[in-house]
Amino acid sequence: MGPAITNATSAHDGDLAAVIVLHKHVLRPGTPPGKLSRFGDPIWHIAPAHPDAHAKINSIYWDRWPNELVPVFKEIALAFLTRPVPRTITVSSDGELMSIGTVSFRLRTLRVFAAWMSLHQLCGLHEVTDEHLERYRQHVLQLQASNRHKKELLVAVRTVWSFQAVLPQQCRFDAVAPWAGSAPAKLAASPCRPAGAENTTPRIAPATMEPLLHWSLRMVEDIGPDIIAALTEVKQLDAGTHPSQQHLHNLTSRERVQAFVADATAHSRPVPGHPLRDEHEQPRINWRHLARLLMLPSRRVDPCLRPLVLESDLPVADGSPIGAITGHIDGRPWRTSPLSTQELPQLAAHLSVACFVVISYLSGMRPGEVLNLRRGCAQRDHDTGQLLVLGRYGKGAARTPRPTLGDDPFERTWVVVQPVHQAINLLEQLGDTPLLFPSSHYKPHAIRPADRNARRAQDITSDIAAFITWINSTFVRLDHEPVIPPDPAGRIYPSRFRRTLAYFIVRRPRGLIAAALQYGHVSTTMTMSYSGQADTAWLNDLAVERLESVLEHNQRDHELLTAGEHISGPAASNYHHRIQSAHRFAGHVVNRVRNAERLLQHIDHNIHHGNGMTCVYRADTAACRTARITEGLPTPTGPIDTE
């Protein structure tokens, strides 16, 4: 576990202004001293205490609050950060601190209350009565906002009330209880989602998911190595270690330029240029890349040396070529022209998001779990040979900011398939940051430095859209239809992959992923991965998907029989009986996974639909099973799809 910043001084003893507001929290390793905010600072940086490197946590800017109320709400904010959550808020708090994400959200909603107090000339919570709270509720109800947001505005006030025992007098309400204890959702007319309600995350349609995964795998296996090789060459040129630069070390700048012109003339090679935006644009020399090739000081070609190139009459290339094309698709190079330095950053971004799709989809990880993966996370079990990914829990209150790999008591492993390890290997070559998905691979980010901040989920959504656009514009089908068609449910965002994988494993177990990777293989490895974990959400998704699938098949089979479908074969009567029995199922309300599993035992009549026949499976007479027993092979509990 990472080191905690400790401060023995209580918030109400000694110099309050000097108290570090995050002194009760474990901070991300490498947090600069300038981010350790103190009580008296005008800005509180609380993101260093958030466990997820991809999360966007806004700092608290106290100059945006009513000036006369800043001392009051600073006390409240400090209580949120340093005091355990009262059981009046959650009975399962067990002395835990409020999560940093919740603190940030609660303060955003409390700022609305502070603005209302300032408007009504209330200088402290000790002046707020039950009558004032009712007026504030009426104010909230009149806002142009959703009912859910209105509820959260009232919840924020109720949260402050719950912390009253640890707050000074000026931060305590002069009220009996906010709104007589009525639930904020009821006061704001906000419907509450019932426990166990349906997962509303839309699946990605098969017509979109299959080609998206197919091209993501092609990026990893065929195109990615060329991009990595080009990036490596650029790094070598920048460092002056490329083999083509060895003869330049003892030459002056003028001699280097002269040597380049002589060599380019002798081999009919063009001068590196900038990409032409249209056919009417005049070619322009890329002086910066030429300086990189020749290791010129300050990475620039001195103006007095440029005539040596301009007067040589060498042609100027459309872009600055780098690397070589070695990857093939359908037996042909994936592109006819070499890569250029100008397009490398965008190609690297496409490769990164393709790796995200492969890792996320073929492991079943949550988006945050993928985005927080670190260098060295791909491992192999020495005893079983299983491919593993070492990460950390993406959900739960017991998480802390991740220290170095192997030191986190809350880390966990996933059992994965080979393409996941291939994607991780490419990402480790793509950059040198500790995180596999840094906030930026190229552009420095002052607010979210790449060495300790991961790319955000909303950025990945934009990256996926850009990747699909690039694939559709680069690789064209003969019928001119999109290579990756749009999804009917709209934009593809990260959390949809986990939901979609459960559907594919249950509904299309024999469908092949690109590169001959079977969904059945993914299902086996993921079940091994999740069966021993406290997080059973993935297994829950599978149970619900199986229930929905069986119900849909039963309904469809009954409709076909009713319409006069002809059936024949030794199991025809058995099939007819099972379908009629399934149709008599009256239905039950399913709001828990245990209910889904229990119902499956009653309505799943072991009818398996294949391309050539329908199997009415019975273990003691199944030919596929008895044949395997005779041969001494393992016998599964259901029919064997490949036989």
Side-chain angles (χ1 to χ4, degrees):
M1 182 177 294
I5 302 296
T6 59
N7 190 319
T9 304
S10 171
H12 301 289
D13 297 326
D15 187 6
L16 181 62
V19 172
I20 297 175
V21 298
L22 295 178
H23 69 266
K24 289 290 185 70
H25 291 262
V26 178
L27 306 182
R28 294 183 196 166
T31 300
K35 292 291 185 179
L36 300 181
S37 301
R38 299 179 182 273
F39 186 89
D41 294 344
I43 301 174
W44 286 10
H45 302 288
I46 61 175
H50 196 280
D52 295 328
H54 72 288
K56 179 184 179 182
I57 303 296
N58 295 321
S59 299
I60 307 168
Y61 293 85
W62 291 110
D63 59 351
R64 300 175 184 176
W65 292 66
N67 186 61
E68 72 278 11
L69 291 171
V70 167
V72 172
F73 283 94
K74 273 192 172 185
E75 291 272 13
I76 294 170
L78 188 64
F80 286 174
L81 289 168
T82 60
R83 299 288 188 168
V85 177
R87 286 185 175 270
T88 52
I89 296 179
T90 169
V91 295
S92 60
S93 63
D94 293 329
E96 295 170 355
L97 299 177
M98 186 182 295
S99 73
I100 293 298
T102 302
V103 171
S104 177
F105 180 68
R106 286 286 173 259
L107 290 175
R108 286 203 306 272
T109 50
L110 272 179
R111 193 149 63 93
V112 177
F113 182 53
W116 181 88
M117 288 179 60
S118 179
L119 183 66
H120 290 78
Q121 299 181 347
L122 298 170
C123 297
L125 293 185
H126 64 286
E127 299 180 9
V128 177
T129 63
D130 287 314
E131 182 180 352
H132 288 121
L133 290 176
E134 178 58 28
R135 291 180 189 174
Y136 178 65
R137 186 178 79 88
Q138 295 300 326
H139 167 74
V140 168
L141 294 177
Q142 295 172 11
L143 294 176
Q144 296 297 316
S146 67
N147 285 344
R148 184 174 296 275
H149 183 64
K150 293 176 182 178
K151 182 200 76 171
E152 295 298 342
L153 292 175
L154 301 180
V155 167
V157 175
R158 177 67 59 78
T159 302
V160 176
W161 169 270
S162 300
F163 275 85
Q164 285 206 127
V166 297
L167 292 173
Q169 187 62 40
Q170 69 271 21
C171 300
R172 300 181 185 181
F173 292 104
D174 183 19
V176 177
W179 308 293
S182 298
K186 181 179 179 180
L187 294 171
S190 175
C192 291
R193 186 180 179 188
E198 179 185 359
N199 186 345
T200 58
T201 301
R203 307 178 187 97
I204 304 171
T208 300
M209 186 65 243
E210 288 186 329
L212 174 58
L213 180 61
H214 171 82
W215 283 100
S216 296
L217 285 167
R218 284 197 158 177
M219 281 291 291
V220 170
E221 297 170 357
D222 303 321
I223 301 174
D226 287 348
I227 297 173
I228 294 296
L231 290 169
T232 301
E233 186 172 333
V234 169
K235 292 178 182 178
Q236 290 175 339
L237 291 171
D238 284 334
T241 59
H242 194 270
S244 65
Q245 298 172 317
Q246 297 306 308
H247 68 288
L248 300 174
H249 287 284
N250 297 322
L251 302 180
T252 65
S253 295
R254 175 174 290 275
E255 290 172 338
R256 293 179 186 183
V257 175
Q258 290 172 336
F260 170 81
V261 171
D263 183 69
T265 302
H267 296 88
S268 301
R269 283 200 292 263
V271 180
H274 291 283
L276 298 177
R277 288 167 289 189
D278 56 64
E279 58 184 9
H280 304 293
E281 184 180 7
Q282 293 296 320
R284 295 180 300 123
I285 295 176
N286 186 348
W287 296 107
R288 184 176 182 277
H289 185 59
L290 181 59
R292 171 192 285 142
L293 294 173
L294 301 179
M295 296 189 302
L296 297 179
S298 303
R299 291 294 183 265
R300 61 186 295 271
V301 180
D302 195 282
C304 68
L305 299 178
R306 294 188 179 189
L308 297 175
V309 180
L310 296 172
E311 295 171 2
S312 66
D313 293 328
L314 288 170
V316 180
D318 181 8
S320 302
I322 196 77
I325 302 301
T326 62
H328 288 72
I329 292 179
D330 297 333
R332 296 184 298 176
W334 67 273
R335 64 183 278 166
T336 56
S337 60
L339 303 178
S340 69
T341 57
Q342 293 88 350
E343 62 183 332
L344 271 184
Q346 190 59 58
L347 287 174
H350 293 327
L351 177 58
S352 177
V353 78
C355 292
F356 178 88
V357 172
V358 170
I359 296 172
S360 178
Y361 186 69
L362 296 184
S363 69
M365 295 183 189
R366 293 183 175 88
E369 292 167 337
V370 178
L371 293 173
N372 282 273
L373 290 177
R374 289 177 170 258
R375 185 178 299 275
C377 64
Q379 300 182 10
R380 182 187 293 270
D381 189 291
H382 297 294
D383 298 326
T384 65
Q386 294 172 349
L387 301 180
L388 308 175
V389 172
L390 181 64
R392 71 189 308 277
Y393 287 102
K395 195 173 184 179
R399 297 178 301 138
T400 56
R402 183 173 178 78
T404 58
L405 196 68
D407 294 337
D408 193 344
F410 304 110
E411 67 188 13
R412 59 157 299 174
T413 57
W414 286 264
V415 182
V416 297
V417 287
Q418 182 61 37
V420 174
H421 267 211
Q422 289 180 272
I424 291 173
N425 179 55
L426 282 182
L427 289 169
E428 290 178 340
Q429 298 177 65
L430 192 58
D432 55 4
T433 59
L435 294 159
L436 296 186
F437 296 95
S439 56
S440 174
H441 280 292
Y442 286 96
K443 296 180 180 178
H445 203 301
I447 299 177
R448 303 184 70 248
D451 61 337
R452 58 181 181 276
N453 290 279
R455 198 146 182 81
R456 296 192 296 247
Q458 56 263 44
D459 296 327
I460 293 292
T461 301
S462 302
D463 294 343
I464 292 173
F467 172 66
I468 293 175
T469 300
W470 178 74
I471 290 291
N472 287 338
S473 61
T474 305
F475 305 96
V476 182
R477 288 174 33 159
L478 294 178
D479 58 4
H480 301 292
E481 290 295 320
V483 175
I484 305 177
D487 183 73
R491 64 196 180 104
I492 298 174
Y493 48 88
S495 59
R496 296 184 65 186
F497 290 115
R498 179 178 162 106
R499 172 76 163 152
T500 304
L501 181 57
Y503 171 84
F504 268 71
I505 286 178
V506 171
R507 308 298 182 93
R508 308 183 68 159
R510 289 168 297 151
L512 293 182
I513 301 176
L517 180 66
Q518 296 182 0
Y519 283 111
H521 186 190
V522 178
S523 177
T524 301
T525 56
M526 288 189 60
T527 300
M528 292 167 60
S529 177
Y530 280 91
S531 60
Q533 302 290 346
D535 172 19
T536 58
W538 165 250
L539 301 180
N540 296 350
D541 288 346
L542 286 182
V544 174
E545 286 292 348
R546 290 192 183 101
L547 176 61
E548 291 182 3
S549 177
V550 169
L551 290 172
E552 291 173 8
H553 277 304
N554 288 347
Q555 179 65 25
R556 177 62 176 163
D557 291 340
H558 183 267
E559 291 174 355
L560 292 174
L561 278 179
T562 304
E565 179 189 40
H566 175 71
I567 58 174
S568 61
S573 59
N574 196 355
Y575 172 77
H576 189 277
H577 172 74
R578 293 189 187 190
I579 294 300
Q580 293 298 335
S581 175
H583 184 66
R584 289 196 296 270
F585 170 65
H588 297 280
V589 175
V590 178
N591 58 6
R592 295 180 183 275
V593 175
R594 287 182 302 174
N595 295 352
E597 294 172 344
R598 190 181 303 113
L599 286 175
L600 272 172
Q601 297 175 2
H602 295 286
I603 67 172
D604 187 357
H605 292 274
N606 245 334
I607 299 173
H608 303 267
H609 298 269
N611 294 328
M613 67 179 67
T614 296
C615 173
V616 182
Y617 185 76
R618 179 188 292 177
D620 53 355
T621 59
C624 60
R625 184 173 184 272
T626 55
R628 293 180 70 88
I629 293 176
T630 303
E631 297 174 9
L633 299 174
T635 54
T637 56
I640 303 171
D641 297 328
T642 57
E643 298 184 2

